[in-house]
Amino acid sequence: MLVLSRRVGERLVIGDDIVITVIDVRSDGVRIGIDAPRSVRVNRAEVLEAVTQANQDAARSADDSAIDSLRALRPPTPEAPDPTPEA
């Protein structure tokens, strides 16, 4: 990880077409502006993590529901006869 110090108004350039500008610095955070082509996705990590977790939970729930549905559709297994001979 590259760690840089920047002041308000200073920029970082990533590649040929992404520019990050420091907009404001406060005691509780930093505001940045990102200028990137529309084809570049820019997301907050915590939002991506929340969406990923929600998708995993939904898939797990769907899997459980599918298994329950299959069990409900499966005909009951007949009782097997006792293999021990009667005397």
Side-chain angles (χ1 to χ4, degrees):
M1 174 188 298
L2 174 64
V3 178
L4 299 171
S5 297
R6 301 278 75 197
R7 291 192 169 102
V8 174
E10 292 182 330
R11 300 181 199 178
L12 300 171
V13 179
I14 300 174
D16 293 331
D17 52 5
I18 300 173
V19 178
I20 298 174
T21 306
V22 178
I23 305 295
D24 190 21
V25 179
R26 297 180 183 173
S27 61
D28 62 341
V30 176
R31 294 183 66 212
I32 59 172
I34 303 170
D35 185 15
R38 286 196 173 275
S39 61
V40 175
R41 294 175 53 185
V42 178
N43 294 300
R44 294 182 297 163
E46 64 274 12
V47 172
L48 285 178
E49 291 167 4
V51 169
T52 300
Q53 184 63 47
N55 287 342
Q56 289 173 349
D57 292 346
R60 199 172 303 116
S61 175
D63 289 346
D64 292 344
S65 295
I67 290 169
D68 291 343
S69 296
L70 288 174
R71 284 184 183 144
L73 293 173
R74 184 182 307 151
T77 309
E79 297 269 336
D82 188 1
T84 57
E86 293 185 30

